[in-house]
Amino acid sequence: MRALASMLLFVLVLVAFEAALSLAPWHEGAMAAAGAPAVEATAAQPGAPKLTVADYPRYRGFNSRLTVWIAAQLHLFFAAFVLGVPIFVLVIEFIGWRNGDPRYDRMAHEFIKISMGAFSLTATSGGILVFALAVFYPGLFAYLTRIFGPVMMLYALLFLAETACLYAYYYGWDSMQGRRKPGHLLLGLALNVVGTLLMGLSNSWATFMMAPSGVDSQGVFAGNVWVAVAGPLWTPLNVHRFLANIAYGGAIVGAYAAYKFIAARASEAKAHYDWMGHTANGIAVVAMLPLPFAGYWMTKEIYAYSQQMGITLMGGVFAWLFIIQAVLIGTIFLAANFYLWCGMARLDGANRTAHLVKYIAGVLVICFLVWFTPHTLVMTARELATIGGAYHPVLGPLGVMSAKNTAVNIMILATFFTYQLFRRSMVHSTRPWMARASRFQVALYVAAVANIIWLGVYGYFVPANIRIGLSVPQVMTTLLVIIVCIVVDEVIASRSKRIGAVHWGRMPARAQYALFTLAVAFTWLMGLMGYIRSSIRQHWHVYTVMRDGSVDAFTPTIGHATAIVSVCTLLFLALILFVFWLSGLSRAREAPAGLAEAGATP
Amino acid sequence: MRVSQTIRLLLVVAVAYAIVELGIPAIGALMKPGTWPVVPVHLVRLYLFFIVIVILLYAAADEERWSRVRGDFRFFFGAPGARIARTATIVAISLAGGYGAYDAVRPRFETPPELRAVHPAPPSSFSIGGKMYDLLTLDNPLRADKQNFAGDVKAGAAIFFKQCFFCHGDKLDGRGLYADAFHPPPANFRDIGTIAQLQESYLFWRIATGGPGLPREGGPWMSSMPVWHRFLSETEIWQVILFLYDFTGHAPRAREP
Ligand code: HEM
């Protein structure tokens, strides 16, 4: 208790600091200041301004780059969370409405409540980011607003719309039940559409800085904003972030459920939060499954845009960070799987399948080792001599993308298989066709794994640009298995009798730490990847068009960068803990009101 | 007799370790006779760390299994009958830790390992004797010339066997006469990890500017690859590039549409 109190105190100080900053007059106006007069001064130059050190204001006690970096990262964390949650909240609400089970509705409401708490922090951090950018990087800010001015205005409008939708959706939850539910669902849909548009617009600024389009080599803007928005990296980044945000939202609310589970005394509350944690973990896993594919697609587009950028990303100094990325992604997979394994304890019928866990663990570990075997091995001169060159005959082939894709697809299948075991343990197949269907599923798995491995091996015999394309059939195989298995399972489940109930709440506390791990690893991963993405521009503000003339136009060392990412992660986690605590407060206050718990958090 | 849960798990760790330390080099020795391709220690540590983590997770995932493992530990560290085994284990662990510490600090003459980016990012352009080459658009001008293709490859082969094979080997496998003397070692062009995944413009840059042309991340050791633009003409460099791809059967990485 003492520890929690001191932690909260720490978080409070931080938030007070942030709030003080956000009270400044520019907070509300900053977004709208996009086309402000200050900008006009540089507009006289036709192309991108050529900046020198003198063009960057410096303030004692502030490192410009660090300030913008941390502000941007915190804003991205919150924004990703706030955009991701409503997507699955809407889905859960919809399911609850269709099957008439009020527990779904309650869970969806509780999820959105957490994201409400985070919403104001999203706005605050966004304000800080815009302010920091305008103050520390006025030249870049002016250039970007010159091109994206109209888009930024639209962004501000959409932000207002997002706020309106979110508040209406959240506060209207209890009054729009029953016959008015469809209206509420439509409201949720509007919220998500606006949110996704919002994300797309802000992504365009980031992708423009990496792969500028709509301007010539001197940075002269041709006048069409849409061309500048829809640059070569825009769509891949949108897709990857859209999916990652859902997974991220799931991971964070999973941590919330875990926190509540551990704190809960009553077995009823434990059961509720156990179910919530299970759902959140499921959301994170399902949204994560297509991510590797989206990630490689983005990388491919980066490569296609500029070989230099691609090599910097995958082969150069950042290769080390990709090892960390691989380890983090592996951690996510392991944590999610561990949680699923522990979840078998909730079932009476699970003993039939529990012995399979060790094989799943074995497959996971092999795939994981392949997944993080680096492309460039670190070795001593003696090792170099015994190996007979920098190229390792066994590990070398594991370093390239064919092997990684193969490993990750099998890892996904293994994870899904665990999930499927859990669901299948609940039903007892009685008819012969069901046994046949199960055998068909096993055959499907075997065929899929064989196909994935075959495609992976085949990849070594074709040129690099075709090899990357092979990841498409691999992913399609995986998705096919998942979809077919879900359909078959649904059919079987609907026609057979359930054996034993699911004992929600019968879950060891240590499994909850897997959910925490998931949230921390996701946050860290996001910070790291965002850093990598923006720093492969190297000394450019806008790649090949506008140079960074500031004293910070160098790539920081890996140690420094990861330290900053860790600071951002800690800051975010402290703030989100505060949000959890806040939503707990309102709940305690309104406890007697039962289901009517609206009107709580800001 | 039923072997206890913990011992079984420890055995799995031991087998995994044996595979990493002996199995992988053995396979490697079959693929590349005359070498013993050990797994670099850094990677061994990483591998083992995750293997142990997964095994622990597996042990903890089931209530019954977990309590059996904990029971084993309680027995081992508490039961009077296990005294000798306990003391022996503790002594062994302490000695191993001590040796590890000694091994880490004792002076040695090996160059410390460092991550060298084998393929550092090329500049977007570079110039030789006042002529600018834009690597984003540069292509091999000889590749389009189908008529003289065979002649160009032949000329490239002549250059290779006059200039390059001392280091890169007469089979282009990086095992030339001098290969053992250099650190980093000469590139093996037959690997799919070298020229097969590079565009020709990248090779042009590397051959023209050599080891000294590498950016800092290509360090920390000086590559012995000579600066060939001092000895070869532009056409000759393109010819030898044609030969490298032709001989190994690799295709250069195509420029993406
Ligand atoms: C299971 C696999 C993966 C997971 C769970 C994952 C997760 C994430 C997450 C959470 C983000 C932050 C998204 C955001 O800012 O909204 C991210 C961004 C990114 N990912 Fe992945 N990713 C995966 C695979 C990959 C792969 C295979 C690559 C490329 C080789 C990749 C490249 C990137 C890049 C460059 C970013 C930066 C985008 C940004 O600016 O935020 N990802 N990833």
Short mmCIF file of all heavy atoms in Angstrom, two decimals, chain A residues 76 80 237 240-241 244-245 288 291-292 295-296 298-299 314 322 325 329 332-333 371 522 525-526 529-530 533, ligand 1:
data_model
loop_
_atom_site.label_atom_id
_atom_site.label_comp_id
_atom_site.label_asym_id
_atom_site.label_seq_id
_atom_site.Cartn_x
_atom_site.Cartn_y
_atom_site.Cartn_z
N LEU A 76 2.16 9.74 -28.86
CA LEU A 76 1.86 8.56 -29.67
C LEU A 76 1.33 7.42 -28.82
O LEU A 76 0.40 6.72 -29.21
CB LEU A 76 3.11 8.11 -30.41
CG LEU A 76 3.24 8.73 -31.78
CD1 LEU A 76 4.61 8.48 -32.35
CD2 LEU A 76 2.20 8.10 -32.69
N ALA A 80 -2.31 6.15 -29.57
CA ALA A 80 -2.49 4.78 -30.03
C ALA A 80 -3.49 4.06 -29.14
O ALA A 80 -4.40 3.36 -29.62
CB ALA A 80 -1.15 4.04 -30.02
N LEU A 237 2.24 2.37 -43.39
CA LEU A 237 2.30 2.84 -41.99
C LEU A 237 0.90 2.86 -41.39
O LEU A 237 0.70 2.46 -40.24
CB LEU A 237 2.93 4.24 -41.91
CG LEU A 237 3.10 4.74 -40.48
CD1 LEU A 237 4.14 3.93 -39.74
CD2 LEU A 237 3.47 6.21 -40.42
N HIS A 240 -0.06 -0.74 -40.55
CA HIS A 240 0.68 -1.28 -39.40
C HIS A 240 0.24 -0.62 -38.11
O HIS A 240 0.04 -1.28 -37.09
CB HIS A 240 2.18 -1.09 -39.61
CG HIS A 240 3.03 -1.92 -38.70
ND1 HIS A 240 3.23 -3.25 -38.89
CD2 HIS A 240 3.72 -1.61 -37.59
CE1 HIS A 240 4.02 -3.72 -37.93
NE2 HIS A 240 4.33 -2.75 -37.12
N ARG A 241 0.05 0.67 -38.14
CA ARG A 241 -0.33 1.36 -36.91
C ARG A 241 -1.76 1.04 -36.51
O ARG A 241 -2.06 0.90 -35.33
CB ARG A 241 -0.19 2.87 -37.08
CG ARG A 241 1.21 3.33 -36.85
CD ARG A 241 1.24 4.81 -36.66
NE ARG A 241 2.58 5.24 -36.28
CZ ARG A 241 2.96 6.49 -36.28
NH1 ARG A 241 2.11 7.43 -36.64
NH2 ARG A 241 4.16 6.80 -35.91
N ALA A 244 -1.54 -2.31 -34.95
CA ALA A 244 -0.74 -2.24 -33.72
C ALA A 244 -1.51 -1.51 -32.62
O ALA A 244 -1.42 -1.87 -31.45
CB ALA A 244 0.59 -1.56 -33.99
N ASN A 245 -2.27 -0.50 -33.01
CA ASN A 245 -3.02 0.24 -31.99
C ASN A 245 -4.05 -0.66 -31.32
O ASN A 245 -4.27 -0.57 -30.11
CB ASN A 245 -3.72 1.44 -32.62
CG ASN A 245 -2.75 2.52 -33.00
OD1 ASN A 245 -1.56 2.42 -32.69
ND2 ASN A 245 -3.23 3.54 -33.68
N MET A 288 -2.39 -8.88 -33.20
CA MET A 288 -0.96 -8.97 -33.42
C MET A 288 -0.62 -9.94 -34.55
O MET A 288 0.42 -9.80 -35.19
CB MET A 288 -0.33 -9.46 -32.12
CG MET A 288 1.15 -9.40 -32.09
SD MET A 288 1.69 -9.86 -30.46
CE MET A 288 1.60 -11.62 -30.53
N LEU A 291 0.51 -8.52 -37.77
CA LEU A 291 1.49 -7.43 -37.68
C LEU A 291 2.83 -7.72 -38.35
O LEU A 291 3.38 -6.84 -39.01
CB LEU A 291 1.73 -7.06 -36.22
CG LEU A 291 0.83 -5.96 -35.68
CD1 LEU A 291 1.20 -5.66 -34.25
CD2 LEU A 291 0.97 -4.71 -36.51
N PRO A 292 3.38 -8.92 -38.17
CA PRO A 292 4.67 -9.14 -38.82
C PRO A 292 4.59 -8.92 -40.33
O PRO A 292 5.48 -8.34 -40.93
CB PRO A 292 4.98 -10.61 -38.52
CG PRO A 292 4.18 -10.93 -37.32
CD PRO A 292 2.96 -10.08 -37.38
N GLY A 295 4.48 -5.33 -40.97
CA GLY A 295 5.81 -4.76 -40.71
C GLY A 295 6.75 -5.00 -41.88
O GLY A 295 7.45 -4.09 -42.32
N TYR A 296 6.72 -6.22 -42.41
CA TYR A 296 7.62 -6.49 -43.53
C TYR A 296 7.18 -5.75 -44.78
O TYR A 296 8.00 -5.33 -45.59
CB TYR A 296 7.72 -8.00 -43.79
CG TYR A 296 8.69 -8.64 -42.83
CD1 TYR A 296 8.33 -9.70 -42.02
CD2 TYR A 296 9.99 -8.16 -42.75
CE1 TYR A 296 9.22 -10.27 -41.14
CE2 TYR A 296 10.89 -8.72 -41.88
CZ TYR A 296 10.51 -9.77 -41.08
OH TYR A 296 11.40 -10.32 -40.22
N MET A 298 5.87 -2.79 -44.80
CA MET A 298 6.38 -1.44 -44.62
C MET A 298 7.87 -1.38 -44.94
O MET A 298 8.34 -0.49 -45.64
CB MET A 298 6.10 -0.99 -43.19
CG MET A 298 6.66 0.38 -42.89
SD MET A 298 5.73 1.19 -41.61
CE MET A 298 6.03 0.14 -40.24
N THR A 299 8.60 -2.40 -44.44
CA THR A 299 10.04 -2.42 -44.70
C THR A 299 10.32 -2.52 -46.19
O THR A 299 11.22 -1.87 -46.72
CB THR A 299 10.67 -3.62 -43.99
OG1 THR A 299 10.16 -3.67 -42.68
CG2 THR A 299 12.16 -3.48 -43.95
N MET A 314 17.89 -2.19 -41.89
CA MET A 314 18.00 -3.61 -41.58
C MET A 314 19.45 -4.09 -41.45
O MET A 314 19.71 -5.09 -40.80
CB MET A 314 17.31 -4.45 -42.65
CG MET A 314 15.85 -4.20 -42.77
SD MET A 314 14.95 -4.47 -41.23
CE MET A 314 14.94 -6.24 -41.14
N PHE A 322 17.10 -4.09 -34.07
CA PHE A 322 16.15 -5.10 -34.54
C PHE A 322 16.29 -6.40 -33.75
O PHE A 322 15.34 -7.17 -33.65
CB PHE A 322 16.30 -5.33 -36.04
CG PHE A 322 15.41 -4.42 -36.81
CD1 PHE A 322 15.89 -3.21 -37.28
CD2 PHE A 322 14.08 -4.72 -37.01
CE1 PHE A 322 15.05 -2.34 -37.94
CE2 PHE A 322 13.24 -3.86 -37.66
CZ PHE A 322 13.73 -2.66 -38.13
N GLN A 325 14.17 -5.65 -30.95
CA GLN A 325 12.78 -5.75 -31.40
C GLN A 325 12.35 -7.21 -31.44
O GLN A 325 11.27 -7.56 -30.95
CB GLN A 325 12.63 -5.13 -32.81
CG GLN A 325 11.21 -5.18 -33.34
CD GLN A 325 11.11 -5.83 -34.73
OE1 GLN A 325 11.98 -6.61 -35.13
NE2 GLN A 325 10.05 -5.51 -35.44
N ILE A 329 9.32 -8.84 -29.33
CA ILE A 329 8.18 -9.50 -29.96
C ILE A 329 8.08 -10.93 -29.46
O ILE A 329 6.99 -11.43 -29.16
CB ILE A 329 8.29 -9.43 -31.50
CG1 ILE A 329 8.09 -7.99 -31.95
CG2 ILE A 329 7.27 -10.33 -32.16
CD1 ILE A 329 8.26 -7.78 -33.42
N ILE A 332 6.50 -10.88 -26.17
CA ILE A 332 5.05 -10.72 -26.27
C ILE A 332 4.39 -12.06 -26.57
O ILE A 332 3.41 -12.45 -25.93
CB ILE A 332 4.71 -9.68 -27.37
CG1 ILE A 332 5.14 -8.29 -26.89
CG2 ILE A 332 3.25 -9.71 -27.72
CD1 ILE A 332 4.96 -7.23 -27.92
N PHE A 333 4.96 -12.78 -27.53
CA PHE A 333 4.39 -14.08 -27.88
C PHE A 333 4.42 -15.02 -26.67
O PHE A 333 3.45 -15.71 -26.37
CB PHE A 333 5.17 -14.71 -29.03
CG PHE A 333 4.62 -14.37 -30.38
CD1 PHE A 333 5.24 -13.45 -31.19
CD2 PHE A 333 3.47 -14.98 -30.83
CE1 PHE A 333 4.74 -13.14 -32.44
CE2 PHE A 333 2.95 -14.67 -32.07
CZ PHE A 333 3.59 -13.74 -32.87
N TRP A 371 13.91 -16.62 -35.04
CA TRP A 371 13.41 -15.25 -35.22
C TRP A 371 14.43 -14.21 -34.77
O TRP A 371 14.58 -13.18 -35.37
CB TRP A 371 12.08 -15.14 -34.46
CG TRP A 371 11.50 -13.79 -34.26
CD1 TRP A 371 11.43 -13.11 -33.09
CD2 TRP A 371 10.85 -12.96 -35.22
NE1 TRP A 371 10.80 -11.92 -33.27
CE2 TRP A 371 10.43 -11.80 -34.55
CE3 TRP A 371 10.59 -13.08 -36.59
CZ2 TRP A 371 9.76 -10.75 -35.19
CZ3 TRP A 371 9.92 -12.04 -37.23
CH2 TRP A 371 9.51 -10.90 -36.54
N PHE A 522 4.90 -4.21 -25.06
CA PHE A 522 4.28 -3.50 -26.18
C PHE A 522 4.67 -2.03 -26.17
O PHE A 522 5.02 -1.46 -27.22
CB PHE A 522 2.75 -3.60 -26.09
CG PHE A 522 2.17 -4.49 -27.13
CD1 PHE A 522 1.60 -5.70 -26.81
CD2 PHE A 522 2.19 -4.10 -28.45
CE1 PHE A 522 1.07 -6.53 -27.77
CE2 PHE A 522 1.67 -4.92 -29.43
CZ PHE A 522 1.10 -6.13 -29.08
N LEU A 525 8.26 -1.67 -27.17
CA LEU A 525 8.41 -1.99 -28.59
C LEU A 525 7.98 -0.81 -29.45
O LEU A 525 8.65 -0.42 -30.41
CB LEU A 525 7.55 -3.21 -28.91
CG LEU A 525 7.55 -3.68 -30.36
CD1 LEU A 525 8.93 -4.14 -30.73
CD2 LEU A 525 6.57 -4.81 -30.55
N MET A 526 6.87 -0.23 -29.08
CA MET A 526 6.35 0.90 -29.85
C MET A 526 7.33 2.05 -29.84
O MET A 526 7.60 2.66 -30.87
CB MET A 526 5.06 1.36 -29.20
CG MET A 526 3.92 1.28 -30.10
SD MET A 526 2.47 1.60 -29.17
CE MET A 526 2.15 3.22 -29.75
N MET A 529 10.40 1.09 -32.02
CA MET A 529 10.19 1.06 -33.46
C MET A 529 9.93 2.46 -33.99
O MET A 529 10.37 2.80 -35.09
CB MET A 529 9.01 0.16 -33.81
CG MET A 529 9.19 -1.29 -33.43
SD MET A 529 10.76 -1.92 -33.93
CE MET A 529 10.53 -1.95 -35.68
N GLY A 530 9.22 3.26 -33.23
CA GLY A 530 8.98 4.64 -33.66
C GLY A 530 10.31 5.38 -33.78
O GLY A 530 10.55 6.12 -34.73
N ARG A 533 12.07 4.15 -36.89
CA ARG A 533 11.48 4.66 -38.11
C ARG A 533 11.90 6.09 -38.36
O ARG A 533 12.24 6.47 -39.47
CB ARG A 533 9.94 4.58 -38.04
CG ARG A 533 9.33 4.91 -39.36
CD ARG A 533 7.94 5.52 -39.34
NE ARG A 533 7.50 6.21 -38.17
CZ ARG A 533 7.81 7.46 -37.88
NH1 ARG A 533 8.59 8.15 -38.67
NH2 ARG A 533 7.33 8.02 -36.80
C1 HEM C 1 4.56 -9.55 -34.26
C2 HEM C 1 5.20 -8.65 -34.90
C3 HEM C 1 5.12 -7.17 -34.67
C4 HEM C 1 4.53 -6.47 -33.67
C5 HEM C 1 3.80 -7.00 -32.47
C6 HEM C 1 4.76 -5.08 -33.96
C7 HEM C 1 4.30 -4.05 -33.17
C8 HEM C 1 4.51 -2.72 -33.43
C9 HEM C 1 3.97 -1.64 -32.68
C10 HEM C 1 3.12 -1.78 -31.44
C11 HEM C 1 4.34 -0.49 -33.28
C12 HEM C 1 3.95 0.92 -32.88
C13 HEM C 1 2.80 1.36 -33.73
C14 HEM C 1 2.35 2.76 -33.48
O1 HEM C 1 3.19 3.66 -33.27
O2 HEM C 1 1.15 3.02 -33.53
C15 HEM C 1 5.16 -0.83 -34.38
C16 HEM C 1 5.76 0.07 -35.23
C17 HEM C 1 6.67 -0.27 -36.20
N1 HEM C 1 6.96 -1.56 -36.64
FE1 HEM C 1 6.17 -3.24 -35.92
N2 HEM C 1 5.47 -4.95 -35.11
C18 HEM C 1 5.72 -6.22 -35.56
C19 HEM C 1 6.46 -6.56 -36.65
C20 HEM C 1 7.23 -5.67 -37.36
C21 HEM C 1 8.17 -6.06 -38.34
C22 HEM C 1 8.45 -7.48 -38.77
C23 HEM C 1 8.76 -4.90 -38.80
C24 HEM C 1 9.82 -4.70 -39.83
C25 HEM C 1 10.81 -5.49 -40.06
C26 HEM C 1 8.16 -3.81 -38.10
C27 HEM C 1 8.49 -2.49 -38.29
C28 HEM C 1 7.94 -1.45 -37.60
C29 HEM C 1 8.29 -0.06 -37.77
C30 HEM C 1 9.35 0.50 -38.72
C31 HEM C 1 7.49 0.68 -36.90
C32 HEM C 1 7.52 2.17 -36.70
C33 HEM C 1 6.26 2.81 -37.13
C34 HEM C 1 6.00 4.03 -36.30
O3 HEM C 1 6.46 5.09 -36.66
O4 HEM C 1 5.35 3.95 -35.28
N3 HEM C 1 7.22 -4.31 -37.24
N4 HEM C 1 5.25 -2.21 -34.48
#
